[in-house]
Amino acid sequence: MAKRVYEVWQGSNKFLLGGRLIFGPDVRSLIVTLLLIIVPVVIFCVFVARHLRHEFSPYNAGYSILVIAVVFTTYVLVLLFLTSARDPGIIPRKSHPPDDIRYDSSMSAEVGERQTPSLQFPRTKEVTVNGIPVRVKYCETCMLYRPPRCSHCSICNNCVERFDHHCPWVGQCIGLRNYRYFFMFVSSSTLLCIYVFATSAVYMKVLMDDYQGTVWKAMKESPASVILMAYCFIALWFVGGLTGFHLYLIGTNQTTYENFRYRADNRINVYNLGCVNNFLEVFCTKVKPSKNNFRAFVQEEVPRSSMPIAQETETEDLGGDRRPKVEDDLDIGEDLLKISQRRNVEEIDEDIRSRGSNGAPHNTSEVESVLSSDHRALTIGAETRHSSWGRSGNMEIAADVLANSTVTESRSYSTLKESRR
């Protein structure tokens, strides 16, 4: 049965509803974020907004406080959902390295071992952005050259376009396709905190006026307001500071990753288009469609060969029948042996004849012993050829046999000289 893309996904993402929703591996932290938003709002609606329904003229104008709190909270939750449950801009992985790779076979191998080519290709490339060359890196995990501003998230194990950071509070990477919703979520959360804090302070003022008491008495009448004000004050340092920081990043067209990594490099920001155009780029451009169809069926791809054709041909030649090559080498070695033996015998015979006029007649048995030693050397060469059938290094074997035959002839010649003396 054919599987869908999300079922064989190699990243660390979590999928829900048959691949329609994609989350990061730390999606459980999203539950904590939901509780941090929903629980304070519920307390606010029950213990604060409900008591302010009839405190403003006209008589029922106070209901707007409750409605605003509910609608605004729903809006924040929708932004949180759009941030954490969608593709942040994941670049699909490649099933093989780039096409411009090359193989380096210059690596030395030991004698008798097959030489394996190593994969060699540039780890970086230069692309032009706004007329300025920018260096992009190769991702070994995804087997692709990352586009500009793309980075590999070690948590989700994906390459993400315009990677900003991985946010554990939303359980997802923040990238090209969800950065806008992430900023709107953070800024809306900041406004919600301000709204709850301000409304709780107003309720404390109402209690002080009704009971004509002090702040301490009002705090005793509504401890929930005090807790909400303290909670919102602490949360404002986090979400408010984050909102201000990302306003600066948007105005200068930077990402969190770039700001922290290249802060000390003093490099030129080639992506900066001016403050106004930078904001328009983030909020007024159309969100690019996802490059992944997680519900599509997986198509089997024909595996590519990892070695070039020339290398495969050479390997096939080496792995084929090597007996003709071995036989040729042995025949050449045997011919050289015969030529060397024939030359040595002729020199010995000529030397004996030249000495025959001054010394005793040469002994026929001595010549026969020399010839018999030559015959034994030829027999050794033949036996060597049959015993080394199919092995490499045949020229070395022939050289050894040739050396042995030379030693035998030298010994026979020395014996012959001693007997004549």
Side-chain angles (χ1 to χ4, degrees):
M1 181 178 180
K3 294 185 178 181
R4 298 185 184 270
V5 172
Y6 77 91
E7 295 178 326
V8 296
W9 187 253
Q10 295 180 337
S12 304
N13 303 90
K14 306 293 183 182
F15 296 89
L16 294 178
L17 300 179
R20 293 178 176 86
L21 303 179
I22 175 174
F23 298 90
D26 49 352
V27 63
R28 293 183 179 179
S29 61
L30 187 61
I31 300 175
V32 179
T33 305
L34 292 173
L35 293 176
L36 292 175
I37 297 173
I38 295 175
V39 172
V41 172
V42 171
I43 295 175
F44 172 78
C45 293
V46 173
F47 296 99
V48 177
R50 184 172 63 89
H51 297 290
L52 295 175
R53 292 174 296 171
H54 308 296
E55 294 294 333
F56 302 94
S57 58
Y59 184 73
N60 293 326
Y63 278 98
S64 61
I65 297 176
L66 185 62
V67 172
I68 291 174
V70 174
V71 173
F72 205 5
T73 303
T74 304
Y75 173 69
V76 171
L77 295 178
V78 170
L79 291 174
L80 176 61
F81 176 79
L82 292 175
T83 302
S84 60
R86 65 184 296 153
D87 178 8
I90 300 174
I91 300 180
R93 299 190 183 197
K94 303 294 183 181
S95 57
H96 50 78
D99 295 332
D100 56 350
I101 62 175
R102 64 178 184 271
Y103 290 85
D104 185 9
S105 58
S106 62
M107 301 296 291
S108 59
E110 295 182 1
V111 178
E113 294 183 358
R114 178 174 294 180
Q115 195 172 18
T116 303
S118 59
L119 192 64
Q120 298 290 331
F121 55 94
R123 297 295 176 179
T124 59
K125 276 188 174 183
E126 282 192 355
V127 297
T128 302
V129 178
N130 296 329
I132 301 176
V134 176
R135 181 174 297 179
V136 296
K137 296 181 179 180
Y138 176 77
C139 179
E140 296 183 355
T141 302
C142 301
M143 291 190 290
L144 52 85
Y145 285 98
R146 303 169 187 164
R149 314 191 83 175
C150 174
S151 183
H152 190 90
C153 177
S154 59
I155 299 176
C156 294
N157 197 22
N158 296 313
C159 278
V160 180
E161 288 187 280
R162 200 186 185 277
F163 177 76
D164 190 87
H165 70 287
H166 183 92
C167 181
W169 297 102
V170 302
Q172 182 63 281
C173 285
I174 307 302
L176 178 66
R177 301 189 67 251
N178 63 349
Y179 179 78
R180 176 188 306 177
Y181 302 107
F182 170 77
F183 176 80
M184 295 173 67
F185 163 70
V186 173
S187 57
S188 299
S189 299
T190 302
L191 295 177
L192 181 60
C193 287
I194 295 175
Y195 177 78
V196 172
F197 181 90
T199 307
S200 299
V202 169
Y203 182 58
M204 293 288 292
K205 181 66 170 62
V206 170
L207 292 176
M208 291 174 60
D209 293 340
D210 290 345
Y211 293 97
Q212 296 180 355
T214 61
V215 176
W216 296 106
K217 189 173 182 179
M219 291 172 62
K220 290 180 181 179
E221 291 294 330
S222 179
S225 298
V226 179
I227 295 174
L228 287 173
M229 291 177 66
Y231 175 80
C232 291
F233 179 78
I234 296 174
L236 274 173
W237 284 99
F238 176 72
V239 293
L242 200 59
T243 301
F245 176 66
H246 279 279
L247 282 173
Y248 163 74
L249 293 179
I250 295 174
T252 57
N253 205 332
Q254 298 183 67
T255 64
T256 304
Y257 178 81
E258 292 169 350
N259 181 266
F260 279 89
R261 181 164 185 176
Y262 306 123
R263 180 183 301 175
D265 292 350
N266 295 325
R267 61 174 61 188
I268 300 176
N269 186 3
V270 300
Y271 310 104
N272 192 355
L273 305 175
C275 184
V276 176
N277 291 328
N278 292 336
F279 274 92
L280 292 176
E281 182 183 27
V282 173
F283 296 106
C284 299
T285 56
K286 185 178 179 181
V287 178
K288 294 183 178 181
S290 175
K291 295 183 178 180
N292 302 278
N293 186 4
F294 300 107
R295 289 185 50 79
F297 290 99
V298 178
Q299 297 180 358
E300 295 184 0
E301 186 175 348
V302 178
R304 293 180 52 180
S305 176
S306 60
M307 295 178 63
I309 299 176
Q311 196 73 22
E312 292 177 355
T313 306
E314 182 181 352
T315 305
E316 291 178 358
D317 294 340
L318 291 176
D321 188 8
R322 303 171 62 181
R323 291 185 61 182
K325 179 69 166 59
V326 174
E327 291 176 359
D328 293 341
D329 292 343
L330 287 173
D331 291 340
I332 294 173
E334 186 175 345
D335 292 339
L336 293 174
L337 179 63
K338 290 179 179 180
I339 294 172
S340 176
Q341 290 171 346
R342 187 181 302 112
R343 184 185 62 187
N344 293 335
V345 172
E346 292 175 355
E347 291 178 355
I348 294 172
D349 186 56
E350 183 179 356
D351 185 43
I352 293 174
R353 290 178 180 177
S354 62
R355 295 173 179 269
S357 60
N358 299 326
H362 65 271
N363 192 356
T364 307
S365 61
E366 294 176 355
V367 178
E368 291 178 355
S369 64
V370 174
L371 295 177
S372 63
S373 64
D374 296 339
H375 178 72
R376 285 195 301 270
L378 289 173
T379 306
I380 294 174
E383 291 176 355
T384 305
R385 189 182 75 168
H386 290 289
S387 62
S388 60
W389 198 269
R391 294 187 303 176
S392 61
N394 304 292
M395 292 301 295
E396 296 179 359
I397 296 175
D400 294 341
V401 176
L402 183 61
N404 292 333
S405 64
T406 305
V407 172
T408 304
E409 294 166 2
S410 299
R411 289 179 179 176
S412 302
Y413 179 69
S414 60
T415 305
L416 179 61
K417 290 178 65 177
E418 291 178 357
S419 61
R420 294 179 62 88
R421 289 179 181 178

